């Protein structure tokens, strides 16, 4: 006989999960599942590599949960899903930690200690928290291969990165350039444009207007505005918009003459309130990404001007100013060969009227537009050096004698003071604006001209946009808006970093830069260099290797840069399998990936680099499906902060509530559709209370009842997969139909990768199972109808629980495993698997879906809930039966469906007689409610007369209106037709409210008498006593299989209660397996629980006791 294990009344979900983890380890569950799925269609998944230099947080747990849910589901729908964990081991996160540890301030410090030692230090910490990562990931129930993981520091990985780069070079997409890029002075390296957006902060900066006297006579000055005074020592030019209107003015207070944009006069001369604004000339805004931080938009551009403060001497277009020369602000670079063409006014349409004075100062080393404009006007020369008196640490160099050695941002105020002293400062204000900071060091980024290796992304922009359309994103808006716009405005990608710990850029170049070789493999390097012992590709292992020149230029040496770690992570699809050197066929058969998932912050990070590289190599998108998750914030909607301790430790949450609860909480939140989530631990607890406990109790009830059925019948319980074809019970058919609807909905939503819509279906199903099916069928399940009926109910409940376990495996892997291990014992041996996760997601059984029965049960549920509400309003306990209940509905079809379920309604509402009535019921009348707004907008002046006529309609008129869907209202000689779209018809109780209680919802009305007869009252008292017996069992800690006897003693043997206990003995006997006998018949059995002197319905008190049988 199948032996179900007795299930305890309560469960420690976290403790039980620990046991499940131990069991999975014992059977090597994940590895076994992969073996079982070999040969099935491959479902390719790419896991974005995190850094192991920090501990996992809720963002990692969220992304890991999404990945695990989807890959488990793919496995359980007939796929083979390889899942390898990956580690990002190179780049700033690692180097920054070493720089802090060793006190390294710049390149000289690294040079002193040597790259070999520096890289050894980096290598030592890359896996610092790998164990903590594995522990956290495993504890969350995620199945992924840590033993066969990939690391970006592996030689095989690095070689594939070299191959990727060489392929891009062969396609003409790689070039070396001198560009203005975001630069981290704390980390002394360039950061990508997309990285610069990852840490925006509101800061206060000076906003100054400076004068530039025009030569030769310096009788008037150009006025330029800037929020970066530290760039002024490097000023080499001014720029105006050729089509904008400019004015030369004479300032009344000082007599000084200035030139600025006419529409920006208010900036210097704001008028008093009431003055009209100067006309604003609209210009199309053209703005490079980084310039939006340097030249801020002025929000008060329509402020009026104080015209009495100045006199307009002359008006001109910006083009008329081009070519003017002016006096340099500083003498630092005057007289140099490379500044002969400097300090002139240039024209370019990137200058807008949205900020400043309409005149922009040009420092080509610190602005991308500045560099472009100065290059165009021969202020600087392509390929030559550029005036950049700021070192890698952000300090002024010796050329800037007044501020040498000073950090540029800290020198702003001193520069302003010097300008004031020289009479060049016209205005000094402060501005608050968003400014980019280094995502690693939290220091302000500077925009600085640096030499770098670039990928020419604009050359493949059309292909990128086309490939983006071939992918499917959740949510779609991130794909079609945010990502699309980023691709549309894509600029060249700087992939080199002047650092040490990373994959070296495989370029060997002659000293004059005219001969260059790009290496694509270790074998190629061996062949060209003659060096055979190459097993590690890090700088300290290969920088010494040279390649003989093919053009008589001596030897080629490797360029010093390493790859940006984003280039490595974007190469991950190929490098993790050492493509194309190994696994060529396997990779190509599984590319693009079926699925990836990461946070919304990766839109300009990993998603972008994946797309650029795959498009450049194969003109394909790198993935087919993508889920983008949002950010997990603290409960106060602020960023989670270790310093502020404004969020609970994930380990504490899991240890108290279980990983399944945290998984469902995260999946069922807005964060799965890229919105923000304010994390609240109460939400995790709600998952336990609203889903897991009712679900567990349903499972526990089945086990208890199945054991009871086997003991009472002596038979072995056998499940029946076709129970939906054999049971005629309406509630059985309903829950089985509802189960198939759940399966269909889960399959449909998961096919769309809508994880967040699955849990509401489950919640509603579990609620229906516990609140309706179990509540309505407890007697059947306990065998109190007949053994055969009990078996049908048990087989129905088994199928529901068993199929739900399989269905919910990807979402709640621990709880379903716990249930399955007990449920499977009644299956044939050949059908028993070691784990529920080896089983497939159920297919939809269309023949089990019964829409009519689902409709009927929905109506029954409405009636029962109305009845509960009405009883509460009438203050009649559910233990007291009602002699009669009338259900009124105008739809005969609805009434017919309810009559089939009338026994359930009677049982749940404790009603002895159920009466169904239609529209002709004497308890109901119809009430017409016109939609005043709808009628008013159509009828205008006639509306008053029409409303008056409608309110006077008789019951027969309203019934006619309801039947025909329209009603003609005579208004004088006219007739106005009113439709049901403009009115609603409601049913209301018209009986005696003192005698009857009513409750309505929609088209259904319930009515019953408030008067309780003596027999109903007697039954109510007996049921109260029976309830107390059950409470005593619970208090004594007895399980369902332990037998007891129950005893009572009334204070007054002639009381109504005493009489009721005798007259209702048969009712009590059928409801209590223990029976209930007078205390006087007890023969000395030991009382194990007792409740004394319960007073019922103002009648005499009773004492109730239980003893072991």
């Amino acid at each position: 006989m199948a032996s179900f294990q007795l299930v305890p009344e309560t469960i420690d979900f976290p403790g039980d999960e620990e046991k499940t983890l131990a069991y999975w380890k014992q059977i090597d569950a994940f590895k076994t599942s992969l073996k079982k799925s070999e040969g099935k269609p491959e479902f390719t998944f790419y896991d974005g590599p995190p850094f192991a230099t920090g501990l996992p947080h809720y963002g990692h747990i969220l992304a890991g949960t999404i990945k695990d849910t989807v890959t488990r589901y793919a496995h359980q729908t007939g796929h083979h899903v390889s899942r390898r964990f990956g580690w990002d081991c190179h780049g700033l996160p690692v180097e920054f930690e070493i720089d802090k540890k060793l006190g390294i301030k710049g390149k000289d410090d690294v040079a002193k200690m040597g790259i070999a030692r520096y890289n050894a230090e980096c290598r030592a910490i890359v896996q610092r928290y790998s164990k903590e990562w594995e522990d956290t990931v495993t504890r969350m129930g995620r199945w992924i291969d840590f033993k066969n993981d990939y690391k970006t520091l592996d030689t095989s990985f690095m070689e594939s990165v070299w191959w990727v780069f060489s392929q891009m070079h062969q396609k003409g997409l790689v070039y070396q350039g001198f560009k203005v890029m975001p630069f981290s002075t704390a980390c002394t390296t360039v950061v990508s444009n997309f990285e610069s957006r990852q840490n925006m902060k509101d800061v206060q900066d000076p906003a100054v207007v400076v004068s530039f006297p025009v030569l030769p006579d310096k009788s008037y000055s150009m006025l330029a505005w800037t929020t970066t005074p530290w760039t002024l020592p490097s000023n080499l030019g001014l720029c105006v918009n050729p089509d904008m209107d400019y004015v030369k003015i004479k300032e009344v207070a000082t007599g000084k003459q200035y030139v600025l944009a006419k529409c920006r006069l208010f900036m210097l001369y704001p008028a008093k309130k009431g003055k009209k604004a100067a006309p604003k000339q609209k210009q199309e805004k053209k703005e490079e990404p980084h310039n939006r931080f340097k030249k801020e938009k002025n929000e008060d551009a329509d402020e009026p001007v104080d015209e009495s403060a100045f006199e307009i001497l002359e008006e001109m277009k910006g083009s008329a100013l081009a070519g003017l020369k002016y006096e340099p602000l500083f003498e630092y670079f005057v007289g140099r060969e490379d500044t002969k063409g400097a300090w002139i006014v240039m024209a370019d349409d990137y200058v807008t009227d949205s900020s400043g004075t309409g005149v922009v100062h040009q420092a080509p080393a610190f602005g991308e537009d500045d560099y472009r404009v100065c290059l165009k006007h021969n202020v600087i020369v392509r390929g030559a050096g550029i005036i950049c008196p700021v070192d890698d640490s952000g300090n002024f160099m010796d050329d800037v004698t007044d501020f040498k050695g000073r950090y540029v941002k800290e020198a702003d105020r001193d520069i302003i003071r010097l300008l004031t002293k020289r009479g060049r400062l016209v205005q000094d204000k402060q501005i608050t604006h968003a400014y980019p900071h280094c995502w690693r060091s939290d220091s302000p980024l500077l925009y600085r001209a640096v030499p770098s290796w670039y990928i020419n992304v604009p050359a493949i922009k059309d292909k990128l946009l086309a490939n983006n359309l071939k992918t499917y994103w959740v949510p779609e808006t991130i794909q079609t808006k945010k990502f699309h716009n980023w691709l549309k405005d894509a600029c060249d990608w700087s992939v080199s970093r002047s650092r040490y710990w990373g994959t070296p850029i495989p370029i060997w170049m002659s000293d004059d830069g005219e001969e260059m070789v790009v290496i694509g493999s270790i074998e190629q390097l061996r062949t060209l260099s003659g060096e055979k012992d190459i097993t590690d590709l890090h700088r300290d292992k290969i920088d010494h290797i040279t390649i003989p020149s093919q053009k008589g230029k001596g030897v080629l040496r490797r360029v010093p840069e390493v790859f940006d770690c984003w280039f490595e992570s974007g190469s991950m699809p190929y490098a993790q399998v050492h493509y194309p050197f190994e696994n060529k066929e396997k990779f190509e058969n599984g590319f693009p990936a079926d699925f990836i998932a990461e946070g919304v912050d990766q839109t300009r990070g990993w998603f972008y680099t994946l797309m650029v590289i795959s498009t450049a190599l194969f003109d394909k998108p790198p993935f087919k499906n993508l889920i983008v998750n949002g950010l997990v914030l603290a409960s106060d909607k602020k960023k989670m902060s270790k310093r502020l301790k404004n969020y609970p430790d994930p380990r504490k949450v899991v240890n108290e509530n279980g990983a399944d609860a945290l998984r469902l909480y995260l999946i069922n939140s807005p964060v799965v559709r890229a919105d923000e989530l304010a994390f609240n631990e109460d939400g995790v607890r709600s998952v336990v209370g609203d889903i897991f406990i009712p679900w567990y109790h349903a499972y526990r009830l089945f086990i208890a009842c199945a054991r009871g059925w086997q003991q009472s019948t002596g038979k072995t319980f056998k499940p029946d997969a076709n129970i939906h074809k054999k049971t005629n019970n309406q509630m059985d058919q309903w829950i089985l139909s509802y189960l198939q609807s759940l399966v269909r909905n889960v399959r449909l939503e998961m096919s769309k990768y809508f994880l967040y819509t699955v849990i509401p279906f489950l919640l509603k199903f579990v609620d229906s199972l516990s609140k309706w099916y179990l509540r309505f069928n407890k007697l059947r399940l306990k065998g109190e109808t007949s053994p055969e009926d009990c078996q049908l109910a048990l087989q129905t409940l088994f199928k529901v629980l068993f199929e739900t376990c399989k269905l919910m495996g990807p979402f709640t892997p621990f709880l379903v495993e716990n249930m399955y291990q007990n449920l499977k014992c009644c299956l044939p041996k050949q059908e028993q698997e070691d784990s529920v996760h080896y089983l497939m997601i159920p297919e939809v059984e269309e023949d089990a879906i019964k829409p009519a029965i689902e409709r009927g049960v929905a109506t029954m549920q409405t009636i029962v809930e109305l009845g509960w509400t009405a009883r509460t309003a009438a203050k009649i306990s559910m233990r007291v039966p009602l002699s009669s209940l009338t259900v009124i509905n105008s739809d005969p079809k609805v009434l017919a469906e309810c009559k089939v379920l009338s026994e359930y309604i009677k049982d749940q509402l404790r009603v002895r007689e159920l009466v169904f009535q239609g529209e002709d019921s004497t308890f109901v009348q119809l009430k017409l409610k016109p939609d005043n707004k709808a009628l008013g907008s159509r009828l205008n002046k006639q509306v008053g007369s029409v409303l008056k006529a409608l309110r006077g309609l008789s019951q027969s008129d309203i019934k006619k209106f309801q039947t025909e869907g329209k009603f003609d209202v005579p208004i004088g000689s006219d007739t106005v037709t009113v439709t049901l779209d403009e009115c609603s018809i409601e049913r209301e109780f018209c009986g005696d409210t003192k005698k009857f209680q009513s409750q309505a919802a929609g088209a259904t009305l319930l009515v019953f008498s408030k008067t309780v007869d003596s027999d109903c009252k007697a039954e109510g008292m007996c049921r109260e006593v029976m309830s107390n017996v059950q409470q005593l069992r619970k208090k004594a800690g007895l399980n369902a299989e332990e037998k007891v006897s129950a005893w009572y003693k009334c204070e007054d043997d002639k009381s109504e209660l005493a009489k009721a206990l005798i007259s209702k003995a048969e009712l009590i006997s059928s409801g209590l397996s223990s029976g209930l006998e007078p205390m006087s018949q007890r023969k000395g059995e030991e009382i194990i629980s007792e409740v004394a002197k319960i007073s019922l319905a103002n009648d005499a008190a009773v004492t109730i006791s239980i003893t072991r049988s």
Side-chain angles (χ1 to χ4, degrees):
M1 182 182 290
S3 180
F4 294 110
Q5 296 297 309
L6 195 62
V7 177
E9 185 174 342
T10 59
I11 180 174
D12 172 17
F13 289 108
D16 189 76
E17 289 178 353
E18 295 284 0
K19 295 175 185 175
T20 300
L21 284 171
Y23 175 70
W24 285 343
K25 186 176 182 179
Q26 175 191 331
I27 64 170
D28 202 359
F30 175 46
K31 190 173 181 180
T32 303
S33 71
L34 292 174
K35 286 182 179 178
K36 285 178 172 288
S37 62
E38 285 178 355
K40 292 183 177 180
E42 193 73 31
F43 181 91
T44 311
F45 161 69
Y46 295 156
D47 194 21
F51 288 97
T53 49
L55 292 168
H57 52 65
Y58 283 106
H60 299 120
I61 290 172
L62 165 65
T65 298
I66 293 170
K67 296 170 188 178
D68 188 57
T69 301
V70 172
T71 52
R72 280 181 178 273
Y73 184 84
H75 167 81
Q76 289 189 249
T77 49
H79 297 87
H80 182 264
V81 191
S82 298
R83 284 155 273 180
R84 295 177 65 201
F85 204 81
W87 301 102
D88 213 339
C89 303
H90 288 149
L92 282 182
V94 181
E95 290 191 312
F96 188 65
E97 293 294 321
I98 295 305
D99 288 353
K100 283 195 301 181
K101 174 186 173 184
L102 302 180
I104 291 173
K105 303 298 183 184
K107 294 181 179 178
D108 290 344
D109 293 335
V110 178
K112 288 176 184 177
M113 71 181 296
I115 295 176
R117 183 185 161 200
Y118 185 86
N119 278 0
E121 292 280 354
C122 290
R123 187 186 294 271
I125 71 162
V126 293
Q127 295 272 272
R128 177 192 289 169
Y129 295 116
S130 59
K131 185 180 186 304
E132 287 82 353
W133 270 87
E134 184 170 356
D135 289 346
T136 299
V137 170
T138 302
R139 181 62 188 85
M140 286 302 299
R142 186 179 177 192
W143 280 5
I144 191 162
D145 192 347
F146 279 97
K147 292 180 181 178
N148 187 33
D149 57 3
Y150 71 87
K151 302 179 182 70
T152 60
L153 60 73
D154 292 337
T155 300
S156 60
F157 192 99
M158 296 169 73
E159 184 179 23
S160 290
V161 173
W162 276 16
W163 174 83
V164 168
F165 185 74
S166 69
Q167 292 296 301
M168 298 177 90
H169 177 259
Q170 289 176 26
K171 294 173 183 287
L173 296 174
V174 176
Y175 72 94
Q176 187 180 29
F178 198 75
K179 298 188 71 174
V180 175
M181 295 291 295
F183 192 90
S184 170
T185 56
C187 299
T188 64
T189 188
V190 168
V191 297
S192 300
N193 278 312
F194 55 80
E195 288 179 294
S196 69
R197 308 293 186 279
Q198 292 183 350
N199 189 16
M200 300 297 296
K201 292 188 175 186
D202 285 337
V203 298
Q204 270 204 341
D205 272 327
V208 297
V209 177
V210 181
S211 66
F212 296 82
V214 177
L215 299 174
D217 58 8
K218 299 187 281 188
S219 60
Y220 66 95
S221 298
M222 303 291 290
L223 296 184
W225 175 81
T226 182
T227 60
T228 55
W230 63 268
T231 62
L232 290 171
S234 306
N235 170 266
L236 296 180
L238 298 173
C239 192
V240 296
N241 188 299
D243 301 317
M244 196 183 296
D245 292 327
Y246 288 80
V247 291
K248 180 193 289 185
I249 64 166
K250 180 178 180 180
E251 190 175 72
V252 172
T254 64
K256 293 180 178 179
Q257 296 182 23
Y258 299 131
V259 171
L260 71 161
K262 185 176 182 180
C263 62
R264 303 299 300 173
L265 281 164
F266 73 89
M267 186 177 175
L268 289 180
Y269 309 108
K272 296 177 181 179
K273 291 184 178 179
K275 295 282 185 180
K276 293 184 178 179
K280 183 181 179 185
Q281 183 176 351
K282 295 292 181 184
Q283 295 287 331
E284 182 181 358
K285 185 174 181 180
K286 294 185 179 180
E287 176 175 78
E288 291 299 324
H290 81 272
N291 281 337
R292 68 188 67 172
F293 308 117
K294 182 178 175 185
K295 304 171 182 69
E296 293 296 320
K297 180 179 177 182
N298 199 309
E299 298 294 341
D300 55 2
D302 291 324
E303 286 292 316
V305 178
D306 182 3
E307 296 178 358
S308 66
F310 59 87
E311 175 188 353
I312 295 179
L313 302 178
E314 187 181 348
E315 295 192 27
M316 72 289 291
K317 289 291 184 182
S319 55
L321 299 170
L324 294 175
K325 292 180 176 292
Y326 64 89
E327 183 180 45
L329 269 181
F330 298 96
E331 300 292 323
Y332 305 136
F333 306 106
V334 174
R336 287 175 36 156
E337 186 68 24
D338 57 357
T339 61
K340 284 183 177 179
W343 302 297
I344 63 169
V345 178
M346 299 162 279
D348 193 272
D349 60 5
Y350 94 92
V351 179
T352 73
D353 65 356
S354 62
S355 62
T357 61
V359 181
V360 181
H361 112 79
Q362 304 292 288
F366 304 113
E368 190 168 352
D369 278 318
D370 308 42
Y371 181 84
R372 176 183 57 80
V373 171
C374 287
L375 193 63
K376 176 182 176 183
H377 291 86
N378 299 315
V379 172
I380 59 174
V381 180
R382 187 183 301 277
I386 188 171
I387 290 176
C388 182
V390 177
D391 65 20
D392 289 351
S393 297
N395 299 323
F396 280 117
M397 298 164 71
D398 291 348
D399 290 326
V400 184
T401 54
D402 295 301
F403 310 106
K404 65 179 180 179
R406 296 281 305 280
Y407 178 62
V408 293
K409 299 287 281 184
E410 294 173 357
D412 273 344
R413 295 317 307 176
D414 288 336
I415 292 171
I416 292 169
R417 276 190 281 271
L418 184 56
L419 292 174
T420 304
K421 183 179 178 181
R422 294 181 179 180
R424 303 290 287 270
L425 187 72
V426 177
Q427 188 181 78
D428 180 11
K429 291 187 175 182
Q430 292 283 319
I431 187 172
T432 300
H433 60 163
Y435 193 86
H437 286 63
C438 176
W439 62 277
R440 175 53 52 180
S441 66
D442 218 28
S443 59
L445 294 175
L446 303 184
Y447 284 88
R448 181 168 175 259
V450 290
S452 184
W453 293 95
Y454 292 91
I455 304 299
N456 185 359
V457 178
I460 58 171
K461 183 170 66 176
D462 291 342
K463 292 180 178 179
L464 288 170
L465 292 169
N467 282 333
N468 183 38
L469 296 176
K470 298 174 185 176
T471 60
Y472 174 80
W473 293 50
V474 176
E476 183 187 22
T477 53
I478 303 294
Q479 174 197 21
T480 57
K481 293 182 179 178
K482 192 170 185 176
F483 195 63
H484 170 82
N485 292 338
W486 185 248
L487 294 177
K488 181 168 63 72
D489 298 329
C491 52
D492 292 345
W493 176 15
S494 169
V495 297
S496 61
R497 299 291 180 266
S498 299
R499 297 298 301 180
Y500 314 97
W501 180 241
T503 298
I505 289 185
I507 296 176
W508 269 255
M509 187 181 288
S510 61
D511 291 341
D512 61 7
E514 293 184 1
E515 184 179 355
M516 183 177 81
V517 174
V518 177
I519 300 297
S521 70
I522 293 174
E523 187 56 38
Q524 183 185 8
L525 180 59
R526 286 171 176 159
T527 301
L528 293 179
S529 68
E531 181 80 37
K532 301 303 180 184
D533 186 21
I534 303 175
T535 57
D536 189 333
L537 298 183
H538 287 93
R539 283 194 62 179
D540 53 296
K541 306 298 182 184
I542 66 166
D543 276 4
H544 67 283
I545 298 175
T546 60
I547 296 175
S549 169
Q550 300 298 308
K551 299 179 179 180
K553 295 180 180 292
V555 295
L556 311 185
R557 293 179 175 83
R558 199 191 69 79
V559 298
E561 293 89 354
V562 298
F563 279 113
D564 168 18
C565 60
W566 285 106
F567 190 85
E568 293 180 312
S569 60
S571 302
M572 164 261 161
Y574 330 101
Q576 69 161 338
V577 292
H578 199 205
Y579 180 85
F581 309 103
E582 296 181 78
N583 304 301
K584 193 171 188 297
E585 183 179 355
K586 181 180 179 181
F587 167 78
E588 291 173 356
N589 289 338
F591 183 81
D594 291 287
F595 171 69
I596 67 170
E598 291 295 342
V600 67
D601 55 326
Q602 296 301 322
T603 305
R604 294 172 174 176
W606 192 49
F607 303 155
Y608 175 71
T609 61
L610 283 172
M611 185 65 79
V612 169
I613 292 174
S614 69
T615 299
L617 295 182
F618 304 111
D619 192 18
K620 289 182 180 181
F623 54 84
K624 300 173 185 175
N625 303 288
L626 165 62
I627 294 178
V628 186
N629 65 261
L631 300 178
V632 183
L633 305 176
S635 58
D636 58 3
K637 297 187 178 179
K638 294 180 180 178
K639 187 176 179 180
M640 289 185 170
S641 166
K642 291 181 181 177
R643 179 177 58 83
L644 297 176
K645 298 180 179 178
N646 61 349
Y647 65 94
D649 186 329
R651 291 170 297 183
K652 172 180 174 289
V653 173
V654 171
N655 290 339
E656 291 181 358
N657 304 281
D660 276 345
L662 181 55
R663 286 171 67 109
L664 278 203
Y665 171 72
L666 292 172
I667 289 173
N668 193 37
S669 73
V671 79
V672 184
R673 50 181 185 269
D675 291 333
E676 292 178 344
L677 168 66
F679 187 86
N680 190 326
E681 198 172 352
D682 287 341
V684 183
R685 296 189 190 100
S686 294
V687 170
V688 176
D690 296 342
I691 298 180
F692 290 171
I693 289 177
W695 190 2
Y696 176 78
H697 283 168
Y699 157 69
R700 177 174 172 269
L701 178 65
F702 166 78
I703 296 297
C705 293
R707 284 170 61 95
W709 183 85
Q710 289 187 146
Q711 290 171 4
S712 64
T713 63
K715 297 179 180 178
T716 300
F717 174 79
K718 293 181 181 179
D720 189 338
N722 293 310
I723 184 61
H724 61 283
K725 299 177 181 178
K726 298 178 181 178
T727 179
N728 294 319
N729 181 278
Q730 293 284 303
M731 289 299 287
D732 287 351
Q733 292 186 343
W734 167 71
I735 198 65
L736 291 169
S737 175
Y738 202 161
L739 171 67
Q740 296 310 315
S741 297
L742 174 67
V743 173
R744 182 167 57 189
N745 285 328
V746 170
R747 280 187 165 272
L748 175 63
E749 299 308 303
M750 286 301 290
S751 71
K752 298 183 290 186
Y753 291 84
F754 288 176
L755 275 64
Y756 54 88
T757 58
V758 170
I759 308 309
F761 287 127
L762 174 66
L763 179 59
K764 191 174 180 183
F765 181 79
V766 170
D767 183 67
S768 295
L769 176 65
S770 61
K771 185 177 178 181
W772 296 104
Y773 182 78
L774 298 184
R775 185 187 183 110
F776 283 34
N777 291 278
K778 268 189 179 180
L779 294 179
R780 295 177 62 225
L781 290 164
K782 290 181 177 180
E784 295 182 20
T785 50
S786 70
E788 294 74 24
D789 192 34
C790 176
Q791 184 178 22
L792 291 173
L794 287 172
Q795 288 174 331
T796 297
L797 184 53
F798 176 86
K799 182 166 184 176
V800 167
L801 293 171
F802 190 71
E803 298 294 282
T804 306
C805 281
K806 293 188 289 182
L807 185 65
M808 296 311 299
F811 302 90
T812 56
F814 292 104
L815 182 56
V816 298
E817 188 74 274
N818 172 284
M819 293 181 180
Y820 173 76
Q821 292 303 323
N822 202 9
L823 291 172
K824 73 175 184 180
C825 70
C826 64
L827 298 172
K829 282 292 182 183
Q830 65 273 18
E831 294 180 19
Q832 294 184 23
E833 290 282 4
D834 287 340
S835 172
V836 69
H837 302 291
Y838 302 164
L839 304 177
M840 296 297 102
I841 297 292
E843 298 287 347
V844 180
E845 297 177 277
E846 297 291 347
D847 59 341
I849 298 177
K850 313 281 186 180
I853 290 178
E854 289 195 33
R855 279 197 313 271
V857 172
T859 304
M860 179 196 71
Q861 290 170 332
T862 299
I863 292 170
V864 171
E865 288 178 332
L866 285 175
W868 289 340
T869 303
R871 274 180 165 275
T872 301
K875 297 181 180 179
I876 300 176
S877 167
M878 280 300 302
R879 295 195 175 94
V880 178
L882 300 174
S883 57
S884 178
L885 175 72
T886 302
V887 178
I888 303 162
N889 192 291
S890 60
D891 189 340
K893 188 176 180 181
V894 170
L895 293 178
E897 290 172 345
C898 288
K899 284 178 182 177
V900 176
L901 297 162
S902 59
E903 290 304 313
Y904 284 111
I905 298 173
K906 288 164 69 175
D907 177 66
Q908 288 303 304
L909 292 180
R910 203 142 341 259
V911 175
R912 292 180 174 178
E913 181 187 20
L914 197 58
V915 179
F916 294 95
Q917 294 183 355
E919 200 79 306
D920 55 352
S921 171
T922 56
F923 284 118
V924 70
Q925 65 179 14
L926 302 179
K927 185 175 181 180
L928 185 71
K929 285 194 172 183
D931 185 335
N932 295 353
K933 186 176 181 180
L935 290 169
S937 63
R938 180 168 72 88
L939 301 177
N940 297 323
K941 294 180 180 180
Q942 290 181 307
V943 68
S945 301
V946 170
L947 289 174
K948 184 177 180 181
L950 290 174
R951 292 187 184 108
L953 293 182
S954 65
Q955 287 291 296
S956 59
D957 287 336
I958 297 175
K959 286 181 181 178
K960 180 181 178 184
F961 192 172
Q962 185 180 39
T963 302
E964 298 180 358
K966 64 179 182 176
F967 195 84
D968 294 329
V969 180
I971 304 296
S973 58
D974 295 335
T975 298
V976 176
T977 301
V978 180
T979 68
L980 280 178
D981 292 336
E982 298 167 311
C983 296
S984 62
I985 298 175
E986 297 179 357
R987 290 154 190 81
E988 60 181 16
F989 179 63
C990 62
D992 188 343
T993 56
K994 292 182 179 179
K995 293 182 179 179
F996 296 98
Q997 181 67 43
S998 66
Q999 198 71 35
T1004 303
L1005 176 71
L1006 300 190
V1007 181
F1008 61 81
S1009 173
K1010 293 181 178 180
T1011 304
V1012 178
D1013 62 35
S1014 58
D1015 191 62
C1016 289
K1017 180 182 176 182
E1019 182 176 327
M1021 288 190 289
C1022 291
R1023 290 189 179 279
E1024 185 67 39
V1025 170
M1026 293 161 67
S1027 174
N1028 274 273
V1029 172
Q1030 298 295 0
Q1031 292 300 316
L1032 287 178
R1033 287 184 60 95
K1034 197 170 185 179
K1035 181 181 175 183
L1038 304 176
N1039 63 49
E1041 296 176 7
E1042 292 183 88
K1043 304 297 184 182
V1044 299
S1045 298
W1047 315 91
Y1048 74 90
K1049 181 179 181 181
C1050 292
E1051 276 191 351
D1052 182 358
D1053 291 339
K1054 296 181 180 179
S1055 65
E1056 293 297 322
L1057 174 58
K1059 294 176 183 176
L1061 291 173
I1062 295 171
S1063 64
K1064 300 294 181 182
E1066 187 176 343
L1067 169 72
I1068 295 170
S1069 177
S1070 64
L1072 287 178
S1073 59
S1074 61
L1076 184 65
E1077 301 294 337
M1079 187 69 77
S1080 58
Q1081 296 182 18
R1082 185 169 68 90
K1083 298 178 180 178
E1085 296 93 338
E1086 180 184 356
I1087 293 175
I1088 58 174
S1089 189
E1090 182 175 76
V1091 59
K1093 296 188 177 179
I1094 305 169
S1095 182
L1096 301 175
N1098 298 319
D1099 203 46
V1102 62
T1103 297
I1104 306 168
S1105 308
I1106 59 173
T1107 61
R1108 294 191 186 277
S1109 297

